[in-house]
Amino acid sequence: AKKMATPETAFDLLEDLRVKSMSYASKELEDLKEYAKANGGPDDLKHWDMPFWAERLREAQYSFTEEDLRPYLPLPAVLDGLFSLLNKLFDIEVKPTTQNLEKPHPDVQIFDVFRDGAVIAHFYLDPYARPAEKRGGAWMDEVFARSSLFGSEPGTCRLPVAHMVCNQTPPVDGKPSLMTFREVETLFHEAGHAFQHMLTKVDCGLCSGIRNVEWDAVELPSQFMENWCYHRATLMSFAKHYETGEPLPDDLFDKIVAARTFRAGSMMMRQLHFATVDLSLHSAAHFDPESGDASKIFELEQKVAEKTCVVMPLPEDRFLCGFAHIFAGGYSAGYFSYKWAEVLSADAFGAFEEAGLEDDEAVKSTGRLFADTVMGLGGSLPPMEVFTKFRGREPTTDALLRHSGLVAASA
């Protein structure tokens, strides 16, 4: 797949994040050891001990579960909040369609998207789990792309149509679908993809919407939208108890935000390890696949681990044999794309932070620029050019590190 980054810039990004995150990961390991020892755990944590004690530490620090949040996140209210945010950011309206359109299932909802009073797109939302006929997970895809070739009349364009599919709990016993916070994040994520497709201003169907967008840039709008779930005013605008109307308690919101950065250094280093091993295996400067010596693959992984792991993998570790992302999942020489997209999306959200998240006019102005560039230009221009049109410069890692709570480690 096409990439926005070159091998050199990808390695540079991974090294920049590694240098700025390693000290944080080391401290998290020491904190975990101290907590385990103080609570009856072993003096020397082994690889297999760490997930257990990390979860115990998370529970001790934040003491809430997804089930505690469900009553405050009914789907109808979440959709209203999402559509209100889209209106503020992109000056659009989302309304249930009044057209008599066929639905693939009664649960499916169909919406029209308006700008300046005119319909510019449509989308299908299939929110509920149906295990007998739907695969798990969540995704977005196109039905039609905007295209001047298929307009109903000369000089017109076929409007873009998208679909979003989720797998949350359906309404039960008169109660609305009550969502977990992770499901809310997922809905916002898929909406980012869908509205990039629908808000395109490109008339050429081959590069409008999500088409022709480089692999490592396609997640920018989706991850950007997730950030709004952690914005107090946005979340509180719809997070209200489905029975009493009481808002989400402040202490729960604070725990949600704090939990976002739990062991962020360790999680960062884990992803950097995977990405660096992947790039190295696909780089002639680091690995020769013609050597005929399979053991060199694992030697390379151990060499990378010396720089990326606070706990070295066991000598017997054969994780690479099951690393399906890079051997069967389309991410060969591209696993870094996850971090690259996080850098782009965090930096994009940083523009709103700099403008002032509580300044509605500044948010609207910045949102219109985001709509005209990142959301509007699709694959019609190289993604770095699109990003710089929005941000006025190339991306930096500063916002991602700040959002991850790693600023102190990078100082």
Side-chain angles (χ1 to χ4, degrees):
K2 290 193 308 175
K3 308 292 195 304
M4 177 178 176
T6 64
E8 293 75 20
T9 55
F11 272 120
D12 287 347
L13 169 77
L14 297 176
E15 179 63 10
D16 183 33
L17 290 172
R18 185 194 72 82
V19 169
K20 294 174 178 177
S21 304
M22 177 59 93
S23 61
Y24 228 89
S26 297
K27 184 179 185 304
E28 289 168 0
L29 176 61
E30 293 309 311
D31 291 345
L32 186 63
K33 288 179 176 178
E34 290 179 11
Y35 176 80
K37 186 175 181 179
N39 288 273
D43 292 340
D44 181 24
L45 288 182
K46 304 299 183 183
H47 296 74
W48 47 87
D49 296 319
M50 291 179 187
F52 174 84
W53 286 105
E55 181 60 18
R56 301 292 78 74
L57 178 58
R58 188 196 67 79
E59 291 172 352
Q61 289 184 345
Y62 306 117
S63 64
F64 77 94
T65 69
E66 289 280 14
E67 296 306 311
D68 295 329
L69 302 177
R70 277 190 192 272
Y72 297 95
L73 300 171
L75 175 63
V78 173
L79 286 177
D80 286 347
L82 172 61
F83 297 160
S84 177
L85 174 63
L86 294 168
N87 173 257
K88 179 193 288 188
L89 295 178
F90 307 138
D91 195 25
I92 59 173
E93 290 185 277
V94 180
K95 301 178 180 179
T97 189
T98 58
Q99 302 179 65
N100 186 24
L101 300 176
E102 184 178 356
K103 296 181 179 182
H105 189 277
D107 289 345
V108 172
Q109 304 174 43
I110 307 175
F111 296 91
D112 298 330
V113 182
F114 294 81
R115 176 181 281 141
D116 298 327
V119 176
I120 61 168
H122 315 274
F123 71 95
Y124 295 77
L125 174 64
D126 186 2
Y128 308 130
R130 295 192 300 278
E133 58 188 73
K134 282 174 66 176
R135 63 181 171 91
W139 62 95
M140 167 271 162
D141 209 342
E142 63 174 86
V143 179
F144 296 119
R146 179 181 175 89
S147 174
S148 59
L149 286 179
F150 298 101
S152 57
E153 298 177 7
T156 66
C157 285
R158 179 182 65 187
L159 298 182
V161 181
H163 69 249
M164 291 191 289
V165 181
C166 300
N167 268 285
Q168 59 208 51
T169 305
V172 177
D173 296 332
K175 297 180 181 179
S177 173
L178 301 177
M179 304 173 69
T180 66
F181 185 78
R182 179 63 61 191
E183 288 171 343
V184 173
E185 275 190 297
T186 299
L187 179 64
F188 275 57
H189 178 104
E190 300 305 334
H193 286 308
F195 281 87
Q196 183 183 34
H197 189 65
M198 293 186 285
L199 299 185
T200 185
K201 297 185 177 180
V202 178
D203 294 342
C204 174
L206 293 177
C207 55
S208 69
I210 60 173
R211 292 185 174 184
N212 202 45
V213 178
E214 276 76 355
W215 190 268
D216 48 352
V218 74
E219 295 293 336
L220 193 172
S222 54
Q223 293 180 352
F224 163 80
M225 286 298 297
E226 290 182 36
N227 286 288
W228 294 100
C229 297
Y230 296 90
H231 177 229
R232 181 183 293 271
T234 299
L235 185 64
M236 292 302 196
S237 71
F238 61 81
K240 297 178 173 60
H241 197 283
Y242 77 100
E243 290 179 320
T244 66
E246 289 294 315
L248 182 75
D250 287 337
D251 67 317
L252 263 182
F253 174 80
D254 293 339
K255 289 177 181 179
I256 291 170
V257 173
R260 185 186 191 188
T261 60
F262 176 66
R263 291 179 55 79
S266 303
M267 296 302 102
M268 177 75 79
M269 296 309 300
R270 181 176 185 270
Q271 292 299 99
L272 296 180
H273 175 72
F274 294 160
T276 306
V277 170
D278 170 42
L279 270 185
S280 299
L281 284 173
H282 292 92
S283 170
H286 295 85
F287 179 70
D288 177 13
E290 303 297 329
S291 68
D293 185 356
S295 66
K296 292 188 179 298
I297 297 175
F298 303 107
E299 290 175 11
L300 181 145
E301 184 189 16
Q302 288 287 327
K303 184 177 179 180
V304 170
E306 291 174 1
K307 296 180 66 177
T308 59
C309 295
V310 293
V311 178
M312 286 293 292
L314 294 171
E316 304 86 357
D317 188 291
R318 292 297 180 265
F319 163 77
L320 278 175
C321 294
F323 196 5
H325 273 78
I326 69 170
F327 295 121
Y331 277 88
S332 300
Y335 196 87
F336 75 90
S337 299
Y338 285 108
K339 279 301 165 198
W340 187 274
E342 284 183 39
V343 167
L344 296 177
S345 60
D347 202 350
F349 191 73
F352 290 82
E353 294 175 316
E354 292 165 15
L357 290 174
E358 309 314 317
D359 183 338
D360 280 354
E361 290 307 312
V363 168
K364 289 178 182 179
S365 175
T366 308
R368 302 303 186 272
L369 180 58
F370 190 79
D372 290 340
T373 53
V374 175
M375 305 297 273
L377 295 176
S380 66
L381 292 173
M384 186 62 79
E385 186 174 338
V386 174
F387 187 89
T388 54
K389 281 179 178 290
F390 169 63
R391 204 64 173 98
R393 57 164 175 76
E394 293 190 357
T396 72
T397 60
D398 296 346
L400 176 60
L401 291 166
R402 186 175 70 255
H403 295 167
S404 302
L406 303 177
V407 175
S410 63

